[in-house]
Amino acid sequence: GNSVTQMEGPVTLSEEAFLTINCTYTATGYPSLFWYVQYPGEGLQLLLKATKADDKGSNKGFEATYRKETTSFHLEKGSVQVSDSAVYFCALTLMRGSNYKLTFGKGTLLTVNP
Amino acid sequence: DADVTQTPRNRITKTGKRIMLECSQTKGHDRMYWYRQDPGLGLRLIYYSFDVKDINKGEISDGYSVSRQAQAKFSLSLESAIPNQTALYFCATSEIFGDEQFFGPGTRLTVL
């Protein structure tokens, strides 16, 4: 079946530090890949996505590149801010057949200190 | 106003009680979903709906039922609540399957 594995948290960084959250996946076929972010007390919202190999998704200074050869979609940001403190979820979905559903990783809690 | 709303936002109930969680959306999407979130487990799909006439079980549907009253409304019911159903519940919508999903703010349910 399909699965997503992301690095376990919590991750604690100082403001302006470099962020990487690793995400690897297992899927039959060619999935679309997503990063969702959940701020405290809120629902999930899409941060970025990539739909095919070598695509780079980017938003709010975050980036992730769809690497088919390593089945990875690592999230990076060059300089984090306190406001980036949240839980980050990597997810995948397949468009074909009945494999429509969004499969989530377990989430990674990021805390950024001033 | 929020595109996807959930009521109530918080609920405490007792074992054996019936409870309904409601979701409404103004995005005009046909696809709607119910998830539960548990610490360390991510989100797991309970039910999903293609449209008003088509409802399907997700990976953890036991103990839950749903009703799609209209395109904009999708309710989740716990017929007889038990403590291990204590969790954060999210409703979501999407325009098509496989695309971005839009989440509500969640309902925190505690079953004593």
Side-chain angles (χ1 to χ4, degrees), chain A residues 32 34 36 38 41-46 49 87 89 93-95 98 100-107, chain B residues 9 33 35 37 40-43 45 48 57 59 88 90 96-106:
Chain A
S32 295
F34 304 83
Y36 281 82
Q38 183 181 27
E42 298 183 12
L44 281 72
Q45 56 186 272
L46 181 68
K49 70 178 182 181
V87 181
F89 292 92
T93 190
L94 287 156
M95 293 293 291
S98 61
Y100 65 87
K101 81 181 186 74
L102 208 54
T103 299
F104 287 91
K106 294 182 179 181
Chain B
R9 294 294 310 277
Y33 314 79
Y35 293 92
Q37 183 182 25
L41 294 179
L43 275 76
L45 184 65
Y48 63 100
K57 293 182 177 180
E59 55 187 311
L88 189 54
F90 287 103
I96 58 174
F97 282 133
D99 202 359
E100 175 184 1
Q101 293 187 14
F102 297 84
F103 285 79

XYZ file of all heavy atoms in Angstrom, chain A residues 32 34 36 38 41-46 49 87 89 93-95 98 100-107, chain B residues 9 33 35 37 40-43 45 48 57 59 88 90 96-106:
411
model
N 1.008 12.431 -6.560
C 1.207 13.851 -6.287
C 1.607 13.970 -4.827
O 1.127 13.213 -3.980
C -0.077 14.640 -6.546
O -0.423 14.606 -7.907
N 2.455 16.489 -1.345
C 2.003 17.717 -0.697
C 2.734 17.902 0.635
O 3.128 16.933 1.286
C 0.506 17.645 -0.366
C -0.388 17.366 -1.534
C -0.593 16.074 -1.981
C -1.050 18.399 -2.176
C -1.438 15.803 -3.061
C -1.890 18.146 -3.256
C -2.074 16.841 -3.690
N 1.448 19.930 4.051
C 0.425 20.704 4.734
C 1.021 21.219 6.037
O 1.886 20.590 6.639
C -0.789 19.835 5.063
C -1.727 19.602 3.896
C -1.450 18.621 2.959
C -2.871 20.367 3.743
C -2.310 18.406 1.885
C -3.735 20.161 2.677
C -3.446 19.181 1.756
O -4.290 18.982 0.690
N -0.097 22.862 9.938
C -1.166 23.058 10.925
C -0.650 23.987 12.009
O 0.177 23.588 12.830
C -1.597 21.720 11.514
C -2.755 21.811 12.499
C -3.137 20.463 13.067
O -2.316 19.553 13.149
N -4.388 20.318 13.476
N -4.142 25.330 17.029
C -5.576 25.588 17.122
C -6.296 25.697 15.802
O -7.480 26.063 15.776
N -5.626 25.379 14.713
C -6.249 25.522 13.400
C -6.271 24.194 12.650
O -5.631 23.221 13.035
C -5.495 26.562 12.574
C -5.507 27.953 13.185
C -4.822 28.958 12.293
O -4.530 28.647 11.124
O -4.581 30.079 12.777
N -7.009 24.175 11.540
C -6.986 23.024 10.656
C -5.758 23.049 9.762
O -4.971 23.988 9.788
N -5.617 21.999 8.966
C -4.476 21.931 8.055
C -4.706 22.848 6.863
O -5.835 23.038 6.410
C -4.291 20.497 7.539
C -3.607 19.506 8.464
C -4.508 19.122 9.614
C -3.179 18.277 7.683
N -3.624 23.376 6.342
C -3.707 24.137 5.104
C -2.541 23.767 4.215
O -1.452 23.462 4.707
C -3.740 25.643 5.372
C -2.586 26.183 6.192
C -2.778 27.647 6.521
O -2.391 28.518 5.758
N -3.362 27.912 7.669
N -2.800 23.796 2.924
C -1.769 23.405 1.985
C -0.630 24.413 1.997
O -0.846 25.620 1.888
C -2.351 23.323 0.573
C -1.375 22.888 -0.506
C -0.982 21.429 -0.311
C -1.978 23.079 -1.890
N 2.908 21.955 -3.154
C 2.666 20.652 -3.760
C 3.508 20.493 -5.019
O 4.012 21.473 -5.573
C 1.195 20.463 -4.096
C 0.692 21.343 -5.247
C -0.783 21.028 -5.529
C -1.303 21.848 -6.710
N -2.732 21.571 -6.978
N 2.864 22.316 13.099
C 3.068 20.913 12.750
C 3.010 20.799 11.227
O 2.104 21.337 10.596
C 2.006 19.997 13.381
C 2.269 18.542 13.008
C 2.000 20.155 14.902
N 2.935 18.317 7.840
C 2.555 16.984 7.374
C 2.927 16.819 5.908
O 2.547 17.631 5.072
C 1.043 16.769 7.495
C 0.532 16.702 8.898
C 0.079 17.849 9.537
C 0.482 15.501 9.571
C -0.416 17.795 10.831
C -0.008 15.433 10.870
C -0.450 16.578 11.494
N -1.040 11.515 -2.825
C -2.274 10.990 -3.367
C -2.023 10.507 -4.786
O -1.099 10.976 -5.447
C -3.389 12.040 -3.337
O -4.633 11.417 -3.663
C -3.134 13.150 -4.330
N -2.842 9.570 -5.199
C -2.770 9.029 -6.549
C -4.074 9.319 -7.243
O -5.143 9.216 -6.653
C -2.505 7.527 -6.512
C -1.097 7.138 -6.111
C -1.074 5.730 -5.550
C -0.165 7.229 -7.309
N -3.992 9.648 -8.491
C -5.194 10.033 -9.228
C -5.912 8.844 -9.840
O -7.077 8.920 -10.153
C -4.812 11.009 -10.331
C -4.331 12.338 -9.835
S -5.671 13.249 -9.040
C -6.698 13.630 -10.457
N -8.961 3.659 -7.580
C -9.589 4.064 -6.330
C -8.580 4.688 -5.378
O -8.881 4.984 -4.235
C -10.244 2.857 -5.653
O -9.249 1.891 -5.352
N -7.517 7.467 -4.614
C -7.720 8.911 -4.618
C -7.244 9.528 -3.316
O -7.069 10.692 -3.181
C -9.250 9.166 -4.716
C -9.833 8.641 -3.482
C -9.915 9.440 -2.366
C -10.091 7.307 -3.364
C -10.269 8.910 -1.152
C -10.446 6.766 -2.123
C -10.542 7.570 -1.033
O -10.884 7.031 0.178
N -7.207 8.715 -2.219
C -7.212 9.337 -0.906
C -5.858 9.935 -0.567
O -4.831 9.552 -1.098
C -7.615 8.326 0.177
C -6.529 7.382 0.666
C -7.109 6.437 1.704
C -6.035 5.569 2.339
N -5.219 6.325 3.285
N -5.877 10.892 0.310
C -4.679 11.563 0.785
C -4.101 10.736 1.920
O -4.763 10.507 2.928
C -5.072 12.954 1.268
C -4.075 14.094 1.236
C -3.486 14.275 -0.135
C -4.760 15.364 1.693
N -2.871 10.278 1.739
C -2.167 9.518 2.776
C -1.180 10.440 3.451
O -0.298 10.999 2.795
C -1.440 8.316 2.164
O -2.399 7.454 1.544
C -0.690 7.539 3.239
N -1.299 10.582 4.772
C -0.481 11.523 5.529
C 0.643 10.821 6.270
O 0.493 9.687 6.727
C -1.329 12.243 6.580
C -2.268 13.262 6.031
C -3.562 12.917 5.681
C -1.871 14.581 5.870
C -4.444 13.865 5.184
C -2.749 15.535 5.377
C -4.034 15.162 5.032
N 1.750 11.516 6.436
C 2.738 11.135 7.430
C 2.236 11.512 8.812
O 1.153 12.094 8.963
N 3.015 11.192 9.838
C 2.551 11.389 11.208
C 2.704 12.827 11.697
O 2.228 13.158 12.780
C 3.281 10.423 12.138
C 2.921 8.970 11.857
C 3.604 8.016 12.824
C 3.188 6.580 12.517
N 3.823 5.612 13.473
N 3.361 13.650 10.930
C 3.513 15.050 11.312
C 4.813 15.297 12.066
O 5.306 14.427 12.794
N -16.967 23.211 18.167
C -15.507 23.225 18.149
C -14.935 22.355 19.258
O -13.844 21.789 19.105
C -14.985 24.653 18.296
C -15.302 25.571 17.136
C -14.586 25.133 15.847
N -13.182 24.890 16.040
C -12.246 25.812 16.046
N -12.573 27.077 15.851
N -10.975 25.489 16.232
N -14.808 14.989 3.159
C -14.076 13.961 3.907
C -14.211 14.218 5.413
O -14.311 15.362 5.841
C -12.580 14.012 3.565
C -12.237 14.114 2.093
C -12.314 15.336 1.420
C -11.820 12.994 1.383
C -11.991 15.436 0.081
C -11.493 13.085 0.041
C -11.584 14.314 -0.607
O -11.252 14.402 -1.937
N -11.876 13.149 8.812
C -10.637 12.571 9.340
C -10.651 12.666 10.866
O -11.281 13.545 11.445
C -9.413 13.361 8.863
C -9.111 13.311 7.397
C -9.615 14.271 6.522
C -8.264 12.338 6.877
C -9.301 14.251 5.170
C -7.939 12.309 5.532
C -8.472 13.276 4.687
O -8.148 13.255 3.344
N -7.619 12.958 13.964
C -6.205 13.163 14.240
C -5.908 12.752 15.664
O -6.552 13.219 16.609
C -5.809 14.626 14.027
C -4.327 14.901 14.233
C -3.977 16.368 14.053
O -4.800 17.254 14.214
N -2.731 16.627 13.690
N 0.763 11.653 17.218
C 1.724 10.664 16.740
C 1.211 9.747 15.643
O 1.952 8.890 15.162
N -0.046 9.928 15.241
C -0.613 9.040 14.215
C -0.985 9.768 12.940
O -1.451 9.149 11.983
C -1.853 8.324 14.756
C -1.619 7.334 15.879
C -2.946 6.722 16.316
C -0.646 6.234 15.461
N -0.839 11.062 12.898
C -1.241 11.804 11.718
C -2.745 11.834 11.578
O -3.485 11.732 12.557
N -3.233 11.953 10.347
C -4.668 11.975 10.072
C -5.081 10.667 9.419
O -4.406 10.174 8.517
C -5.021 13.131 9.137
C -5.241 14.481 9.805
C -3.927 15.102 10.199
C -6.031 15.412 8.888
N -8.446 8.632 7.598
C -9.711 8.894 6.932
C -10.817 8.019 7.495
O -10.671 6.789 7.576
C -9.554 8.639 5.427
C -10.747 8.940 4.547
C -11.065 10.432 4.554
C -10.461 8.475 3.126
N -15.632 9.268 3.248
C -15.537 10.278 2.218
C -16.755 10.181 1.304
O -17.412 9.137 1.232
C -14.235 10.159 1.412
C -14.087 8.876 0.635
C -14.367 8.829 -0.730
C -13.635 7.724 1.260
C -14.213 7.650 -1.446
C -13.473 6.538 0.551
C -13.759 6.513 -0.798
O -13.608 5.347 -1.505
N -16.733 4.250 2.910
C -15.953 4.090 4.129
C -14.480 4.361 3.856
O -13.952 4.012 2.811
C -16.115 2.670 4.667
C -17.515 2.354 5.152
C -17.591 0.939 5.707
C -18.979 0.653 6.251
N -19.081 -0.725 6.805
N -10.541 4.295 6.095
C -9.749 3.238 6.725
C -10.175 2.922 8.154
O -9.841 1.857 8.671
C -8.272 3.625 6.685
C -7.963 4.958 7.304
C -6.506 5.380 7.080
O -5.616 4.548 7.330
O -6.274 6.536 6.676
N -9.201 14.662 17.759
C -9.513 15.889 17.022
C -10.055 15.464 15.664
O -9.422 14.672 14.965
C -8.233 16.715 16.883
C -8.308 18.133 16.348
C -9.287 18.973 17.137
C -6.922 18.762 16.389
N -11.521 16.378 11.853
C -11.485 17.393 10.798
C -12.371 16.992 9.633
O -12.383 15.840 9.200
C -10.059 17.573 10.264
C -9.148 18.280 11.209
C -8.213 17.578 11.938
C -9.225 19.657 11.350
C -7.365 18.232 12.820
C -8.380 20.320 12.218
C -7.452 19.599 12.957
N -11.685 18.091 -6.821
C -11.588 16.765 -7.436
C -10.749 15.884 -6.531
O -9.973 16.381 -5.709
C -10.939 16.814 -8.842
C -9.536 17.439 -8.761
C -11.823 17.568 -9.812
C -8.777 17.385 -10.063
N -10.888 14.590 -6.701
C -10.034 13.693 -5.935
C -8.600 13.841 -6.418
O -8.355 14.018 -7.595
C -10.490 12.246 -6.107
C -11.682 11.900 -5.280
C -12.750 11.235 -5.836
C -11.733 12.232 -3.935
C -13.854 10.909 -5.070
C -12.838 11.916 -3.166
C -13.904 11.246 -3.743
N -7.690 13.747 -5.478
C -6.288 13.838 -5.814
C -5.744 15.245 -5.808
O -4.561 15.449 -6.035
N -6.601 16.214 -5.561
C -6.158 17.607 -5.549
C -6.123 18.135 -4.116
O -6.428 17.420 -3.169
C -7.083 18.458 -6.411
C -6.417 19.737 -6.885
O -5.230 19.955 -6.510
O -7.055 20.510 -7.600
N -5.773 19.389 -3.982
C -5.689 20.021 -2.674
C -6.997 19.849 -1.901
O -8.080 19.978 -2.466
C -5.411 21.505 -2.846
C -5.408 22.295 -1.560
C -5.229 23.773 -1.792
O -5.123 24.185 -2.971
O -5.218 24.522 -0.793
N -6.858 19.572 -0.620
C -8.022 19.511 0.261
C -8.020 20.732 1.175
O -6.965 21.190 1.620
C -8.016 18.226 1.086
C -8.231 16.993 0.215
C -8.399 15.720 1.010
O -8.611 15.734 2.219
N -8.339 14.592 0.319
N -9.217 21.228 1.463
C -9.412 22.390 2.313
C -10.049 21.920 3.612
O -11.104 21.295 3.597
C -10.297 23.420 1.616
C -9.689 23.970 0.362
C -9.814 23.305 -0.839
C -8.974 25.156 0.396
C -9.230 23.804 -2.006
C -8.396 25.673 -0.750
C -8.527 24.990 -1.957
N -9.397 22.251 4.710
C -9.796 21.712 6.004
C -10.566 22.734 6.835
O -10.284 23.941 6.783
C -8.562 21.272 6.788
C -7.972 19.987 6.297
C -7.175 19.959 5.164
C -8.230 18.798 6.954
C -6.627 18.776 4.694
C -7.698 17.606 6.487
C -6.897 17.591 5.362
N -11.502 22.212 7.628
C -12.133 23.019 8.649
C -11.222 23.164 9.853
O -10.146 22.567 9.904
N -11.662 23.929 10.863
C -10.816 24.204 12.025
C -10.748 23.058 13.019
O -9.922 23.091 13.934
C -11.487 25.414 12.660
C -12.923 25.272 12.279
C -12.922 24.665 10.899
N -11.595 22.051 12.858
C -11.540 20.893 13.737
C -12.526 20.947 14.884
O -12.956 22.020 15.316
